[in-house]
Amino acid sequence: MGPKVRGMFGGELPVEVRVAPDANHDSPVAVDLLVVYDKKLLDKLLATPSAEWFAKRDQFLKDYPKQLVVEAREWVPGQAVEPLTLTYRPGAVMVVVFADYGTAGDHRAAVDPQQLFRLVLGERDLAVEVLQ
């Protein structure tokens, strides 16, 4: 199904994940992939560093039960990860990714829900590579 059709009806977004052998200074990395359905909430999330997200995640979920869907994962350095699929319903505004690194930084990325992407968990931060 093409991106425009997925956007109208919702759909499934395949996500590739690569975890560097030295990711998070050789420690597991908790990752939350959020499908956001509200633009005001999106603005709030894009101003939230990952440490704050992980500390307040439960409250966000209570405050925005219909505007936010979270897929929580955790990977260890060097782990081979099978592609995963994010399922979303119509009206998805953005996919926001938070990674719980032990280093300072926002450790956050945002991707259009109709854009295929690869999540790369590096030594000190995450990166998102848009796929064609």
Side-chain angles (χ1 to χ4, degrees):
M1 188 179 321
K4 298 286 185 200
V5 175
R6 281 198 312 259
M8 288 176 25
F9 299 105
E12 295 183 337
L13 177 63
V15 179
E16 292 182 19
V17 179
R18 300 257 170 90
V19 186
D22 57 356
N24 199 21
H25 295 289
D26 297 320
S27 297
V29 183
V31 175
D32 282 358
L33 298 111
L34 291 63
V35 181
V36 183
Y37 294 91
D38 180 86
K39 289 183 183 186
K40 287 183 183 178
L41 173 58
L42 175 63
D43 292 342
K44 185 179 245 185
L45 291 169
L46 293 179
T48 302
S50 66
E52 184 178 338
W53 162 256
F54 283 102
K56 297 180 178 179
R57 173 180 41 199
D58 291 341
Q59 191 61 51
F60 271 103
L61 292 171
K62 288 175 187 173
D63 292 345
Y64 303 98
K66 295 182 180 175
Q67 299 93 344
L68 184 63
V69 176
V70 177
E71 176 83 26
R73 301 292 178 110
E74 183 173 82
W75 293 293
V76 297
Q79 180 176 347
V81 179
E82 293 291 321
L84 60 102
T85 302
L86 288 178
T87 302
Y88 62 95
R89 63 184 190 271
V93 177
M94 191 71 63
V95 173
V96 178
V97 182
F98 287 103
D100 193 15
Y101 277 82
T103 58
D106 287 340
H107 309 300
R108 175 190 65 238
V111 183
D112 185 299
Q114 293 138 35
Q115 181 62 60
L116 301 176
F117 70 96
R118 176 182 302 122
L119 173 62
V120 180
L121 301 173
E123 178 185 8
R124 303 175 69 99
D125 203 357
L126 74 145
V128 169
E129 298 173 352
V130 174
L131 304 175
Q132 298 301 324

